[in-house]
């Protein structure tokens, strides 16, 4: 199931809420998404992460919404909010908070979620049954729910649930999970600290190839906060760190789930979350692939470093070539690169430079670019567009000197 523009959400997965949720809270935040212009920016889904049901199924075997938390019922709630997508279950006996999971009830629950008006299912990996019961690994347990979703869609003639697999990077989901759903967790849970963000970015730098229109590496968590832990009410991220966090998650095409407490969100937080030029790259309807590193920077290329992940990234977009420069140092730094280090840049051409955070056009780059005084843990996001042939007479005649040769056989690199 291709998703030409992947999902943007608000989610209850917050230390602010934990299991303390109800329909009034959900409706309040849905209204905030409208009034704070988040819906206009593209955030159109609301997710409830666990704790929405009774502790036991009913006599018919169905999951039942908590009558105290959701007295109007789930269907009534979804009817109140246009395009509301909220759903959570687990591939085990129970959810992570020990509410009913879906193991051995996959078909029943897929129908139940549809009847409630849900369209997105986050499927967790807690409360795993014994091996002599499942005779399956993680992949097999997710296959059960994927088959149930597909079978119900075919029999009912309705669109299938979007399946988000929360297996925390176990069993290398990026190699198989697209068979069953649209996103898969790639790491353990994030925490609202810079060290956690760069650790997750480092891990994902080695499998950016797995993301495209048909499936997405999901860089988020299921414990503290979700992808966008931005304001001081959620965690000690600086403004520059928050920009870096949002930029990396968006340009790597991870699902963007807001984990910010909306009622107390700062102006700066909302400006980050709604940056239209960054979101436009994330929601590109022509190019679905992620940016990837072309140079690691501080540490050698292709070497894992949880403190200093890759610093120089690029990728395609329908409007030009994307660059992300990440300063992982604790002090300001100039960041220099040769344009032709990126595979998406044509040698012998010059490029206009658009800064996606200052929203300014910054002249034309010929062969090289330097971002000056990038703040500690800060980011630069650039869109480069072809502006024609580079000026004549530049020396050396090749931007990349390796085996650069004149037509008479003279090597320039020697």
């Amino acid at each position: 199931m291709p998703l030409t523009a992947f999902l943007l959400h608000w989610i209850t997965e917050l230390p602010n809420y934990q299991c303390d949720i109800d329909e009034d809270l959900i409706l309040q935040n849905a209204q905030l998404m409208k009034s704070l212009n988040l819906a206009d920016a593209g955030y159109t889904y609301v997710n409830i992460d666990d704790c929405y049901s009774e502790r036991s199924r009913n006599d018919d075997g169905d999951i039942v919404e908590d009558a105290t938390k959701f007295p109007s019922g789930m269907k009534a709630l979804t009817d109140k909010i246009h395009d509301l997508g909220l759903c959570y279950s687990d591939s085990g006996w129970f959810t992570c908070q020990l509410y009913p999971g879906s193991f051995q009830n996959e078909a029943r629950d897929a129908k139940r979620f549809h009847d409630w008006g849900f369209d997105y299912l986050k499927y967790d990996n807690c409360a795993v049954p014994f091996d002599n019961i499942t005779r399956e690994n993680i992949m097999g347990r997710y296959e059960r729910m994927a088959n149930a979703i597909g079978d119900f869609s075919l029999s009912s003639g309705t669109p299938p649930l979007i399946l988000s697999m929360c297996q925390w990077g176990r069993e290398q989901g990026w190699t198989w999970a697209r068979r069953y759903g649209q996103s898969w967790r790639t790491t353990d849970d994030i925490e609202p600290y810079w060290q956690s963000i760069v650790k997750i970015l480092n891990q994902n730098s080695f499998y950016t190839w797995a993301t495209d229109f048909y499936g997405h590496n999901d860089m988020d968590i299921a414990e503290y906060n979700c992808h966008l832990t931005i304001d001081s009410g959620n965690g000690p991220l600086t403004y520059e760190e928050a920009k870096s966090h949002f930029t990396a998650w968006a340009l790597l095409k991870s699902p963007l789930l807001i984990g910010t407490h909306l009622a107390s969100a700062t102006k700066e937080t909302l400006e980050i979350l709604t940056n239209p030029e960054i979101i436009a790259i994330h929601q590109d309807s022509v190019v679905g692939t992620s940016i990837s590193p072309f140079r690691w920077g501080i540490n050698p290329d292709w070497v894992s470093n949880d403190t200093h992940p890759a610093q120089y990234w690029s990728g395609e977009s329908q409007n030009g070539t994307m660059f992300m420069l990440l300063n992982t140092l604790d002090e300001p730094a100039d960041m220099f690169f040769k344009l032709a280090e990126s595979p998406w840049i044509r040698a012998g051409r010059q490029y206009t430079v658009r800064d996606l955070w200052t929203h300014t056009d910054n002249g034309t780059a010929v062969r090289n670019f330097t971002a000056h005084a990038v703040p500690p843990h800060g980011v630069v996001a650039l869109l480069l567009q072809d502006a024609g042939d580079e000026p004549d007479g530049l020396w050396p005649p090749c931007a990349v000197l390796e085996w650069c040769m004149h037509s008479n056989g003279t090597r320039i690199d020697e």
Side-chain angles (χ1 to χ4, degrees):
M1 177 183 178
L3 295 172
T4 55
F6 202 57
L7 307 171
L8 297 91
H9 318 245
W10 172 84
I11 190 167
T12 63
E13 193 178 75
L14 280 167
N16 308 72
Y17 301 125
Q18 296 286 345
C19 283
D20 188 17
I21 58 173
D22 57 34
E23 64 182 57
D24 290 339
L25 175 72
I26 304 305
L27 289 170
Q28 174 194 4
N29 279 278
Q31 291 160 0
L32 284 169
M33 288 174 68
K34 295 288 288 185
S35 63
L36 297 175
N37 297 319
L38 290 165
D40 290 340
Y43 296 92
T44 56
Y45 285 77
V46 176
N47 289 19
I48 299 178
D49 195 310
D50 216 334
C51 307
Y52 62 86
S53 71
E54 298 287 357
R55 289 285 183 180
S56 302
R57 294 173 179 268
N58 65 16
D59 293 340
D60 295 328
D62 289 323
I63 292 177
V64 181
E65 62 266 71
D66 187 307
T68 301
K69 295 177 180 177
F70 299 95
S72 301
M74 281 293 185
K75 186 61 170 66
L77 179 60
T78 60
D79 286 344
K80 290 179 181 178
I81 303 177
H82 178 64
D83 284 339
L84 177 68
L86 63 169
C87 198
Y88 171 91
S89 192
D90 194 279
S91 63
W93 294 123
F94 304 98
T95 69
C96 297
Q97 296 295 329
L98 302 184
Y99 290 82
S102 291
F103 181 70
Q104 295 184 341
N105 287 281
E106 290 86 0
R108 176 187 298 277
D109 290 351
K111 180 180 184 303
R112 185 65 156 177
F113 298 148
H114 172 269
D115 292 345
W116 275 347
F118 297 164
D119 52 15
Y120 177 99
L121 172 62
K122 178 192 172 186
Y123 206 46
D124 227 317
N125 187 45
C126 294
V128 177
F130 295 161
D131 291 351
N132 65 357
I133 296 174
T134 67
R135 309 293 181 184
E136 295 281 7
N137 58 7
I138 293 174
M139 182 172 69
R141 294 196 300 277
Y142 280 100
E143 182 180 22
R144 292 170 63 102
M145 177 53 82
N147 288 341
I149 290 170
D151 290 345
F152 181 78
S153 176
L154 289 173
S155 64
S156 65
T158 57
L161 283 166
I162 293 168
L163 180 59
S164 171
M165 291 164 279
C166 187
Q167 85 308 340
W168 322 304
R170 308 296 189 267
E171 295 184 8
Q172 300 178 344
W174 48 92
T175 64
W176 53 263
R178 69 177 57 250
R179 301 178 188 178
Y180 308 120
Q182 288 71 45
S183 68
W184 47 87
R185 279 280 304 282
T186 56
T187 66
D188 284 322
D189 297 346
I190 197 175
E191 297 182 41
Y193 303 98
W194 178 249
Q195 294 82 356
S196 177
I197 291 166
V198 290
K199 179 179 180 179
I200 289 174
L201 184 58
N202 174 58
Q203 291 174 275
N204 278 268
S205 68
F206 297 100
Y207 29 83
T208 58
W209 52 266
T211 286
D212 59 22
F213 284 139
Y214 291 86
H216 296 253
N217 290 326
D218 182 348
M219 298 162 68
D220 199 9
I221 76 161
E223 282 293 335
Y224 300 95
N225 299 355
C226 238
H227 295 92
L228 309 177
T229 54
I230 287 179
D231 64 36
S232 58
N234 286 343
L237 290 182
T238 68
Y239 175 68
E240 296 297 337
E241 289 170 347
K243 285 169 54 181
S244 297
H245 183 13
F246 181 74
T247 303
W249 264 234
L251 301 191
L252 270 75
K253 305 291 179 76
S254 175
L256 296 180
L257 283 77
I258 300 176
T260 297
H261 186 254
L262 294 183
S264 59
T266 66
K267 180 176 180 289
E268 288 182 336
T269 294
L270 295 172
E271 287 176 351
I272 291 173
L273 292 173
T274 58
N275 182 328
E277 297 192 73
I278 297 293
I279 290 177
I281 302 298
H282 182 267
Q283 296 286 289
D284 194 319
S285 61
V286 176
V287 178
T289 50
S290 164
I291 60 171
S292 298
F294 61 86
R295 175 153 48 95
W296 262 247
I298 291 176
N299 55 300
D301 291 352
W302 300 104
V303 174
S304 178
N305 187 324
D306 283 346
T307 303
H308 298 290
Q311 294 183 284
Y312 296 87
W313 303 64
S314 70
E316 297 177 281
S317 82
Q318 64 175 303
N319 294 316
T321 301
M322 282 300 310
F323 284 85
M324 181 177 77
L325 314 179
L326 184 70
N327 180 15
T328 62
L329 297 174
D330 297 331
E331 59 188 17
D334 291 344
M335 302 190 70
F336 166 87
F337 65 94
K338 297 179 179 179
L339 272 58
E341 290 184 80
S342 166
W344 313 114
I345 290 292
R346 296 170 58 192
R349 309 286 285 182
Q350 58 187 340
Y351 289 81
T352 60
V353 180
R354 174 75 177 177
D355 188 311
L356 303 188
W357 279 108
T358 62
H359 308 295
T360 55
D361 295 320
N362 293 355
T364 301
V366 179
R367 294 199 175 181
N368 306 319
F369 182 86
T370 300
H372 296 282
V374 180
H377 304 173
V379 72
V380 175
L382 306 172
L383 179 66
L384 270 62
Q385 294 181 307
D386 192 307
D389 291 343
E390 66 181 23
D392 292 333
L394 295 181
W395 189 266
C398 300
V400 179
L401 275 177
E402 185 178 27
W403 267 99
C404 179
M405 181 174 287
H406 192 281
S407 59
N408 65 13
T410 301
R411 285 186 61 170
I412 307 301
D413 62 334
E414 291 183 339

